[in-house]
Amino acid sequence: RIAGWVSGDHPERFFWVNAVLLSICAAVAAGCLYLMDARRALWFALAPTLALQVFVNWDFLTVALTTAATLAFFRRRDGWAGVLIGLGTAAKLYPSLLLVPLAAERLRGRQPDRAILLWWSASITWIAVNLPFAATGLSSWWEFFRFNGARQADWDSGWYLLCHRLSVCPSTGLINVSSIALFVAVASFVWMAKRRREPDFPRWQLAFPALVLFLLLGKVYSPQFSLWLLPWLVLVLPGPRRFLAFEAADLAVFLTRFSFFGDLTGIGGVPLGVFEAAVLIRAGVLAWCVVAWVREPSRRLPIERAIDRALPVAHA
């Protein structure tokens, strides 16, 4: 809305105003990452995914809010963390996934009051932002949910590959239900597997596999959705090897996707099979990252170590 007010009826100006606003969001996210892990912030700033996709849709507003919420959480400002997650969820639903691992971390530290504060502040913020729109235009407010419930499997999803390559194409309703059921089942399995290997692992890190599984098992993985993963890849992965592998695979998906669209519209480009191969490779890299996270010792952030020295927390 701000971009529309500033740019008026000029489409090119509208893009550039949005580019400035999203660049501010990127700077906020990078600054928050720097405060959590100064060395790793450079990974984020130099990522090809950031350069290519930061101006695709408005997802980076949500990324900035969730990254700021994570910083607030580590600084033990759970109310503000919840507010920022609530605002992020109002812009894009995926930040709500963070509430479970962040609350689980507080429960691991025997601080249920902080977990409750996190959930209540997020819920009240989301309701406060949405209620005026729902009350004054319910059908328009509900359109986001209706559209996403009715839309078919997108090009970049495993469900599309299943339909196209194996000719096994469930109805949209069945895909919706199956996606949720698979997500809950696989995420629970990952949680239990990690807990068996490392009983006292930091529960906040479950946000990483949760986001990966949400993208891999869902019916839509738009190009800019990889931006959701960037802060978590930076914070959680033990070394640069898998991060670089993901960036290479994501770059391949981006290039082959739009090249295929060129082929689809008659101006020339790679065939669909090349794009689908890139999608499969990226999915394999992300699965590899999750398996490695389960198998390897959890990485401790500099901000965690600093806070533990300043304020020791009893763990469950």
Side-chain angles (χ1 to χ4, degrees), residues 3-43:
W5 284 329
V6 173
S7 59
D9 295 328
H10 302 279
E12 185 174 333
R13 189 185 302 169
F14 180 70
F15 169 81
W16 287 111
V17 172
N18 273 290
V20 170
L21 295 175
L22 290 168
S23 296
I24 293 171
C25 292
V28 169
C32 291
L33 287 171
Y34 180 83
L35 294 173
M36 287 185 275
D37 192 335
R39 293 183 179 180
R40 290 290 185 94
L42 192 61
W43 293 18

Side-chain angles (χ1 to χ4, degrees), residues 76 109 111 306-315:
R76 304 179 64 78
Q111 297 174 308
I307 290 175
D308 284 349
R309 287 194 297 268
L311 183 62
V313 177
H315 295 300

Side-chain angles (χ1 to χ4, degrees), residues 63 94 207-213 215 221 224-235 243 246 282 286:
V63 175
Y94 86 85
F208 169 65
L211 286 175
V212 170
L213 294 172
L215 292 175
Y221 188 156
Q224 75 276 10
F225 287 5
S226 289
L227 295 170
W228 307 356
L229 294 174
L230 269 187
W232 300 97
L233 290 163
V234 167
L235 295 174
F243 182 80
F246 170 76
R282 182 179 63 183
L286 286 172

Side-chain angles (χ1 to χ4, degrees), residues 159 162 169-186 213 216-219:
W159 291 103
L162 188 70
C169 198
S171 66
T172 300
L174 183 57
I175 290 176
N176 292 341
V177 174
S178 300
S179 297
I180 296 171
L182 282 170
F183 170 76
V184 172
V186 179
L213 294 172
L216 292 184
L217 299 174
K219 65 180 181 179

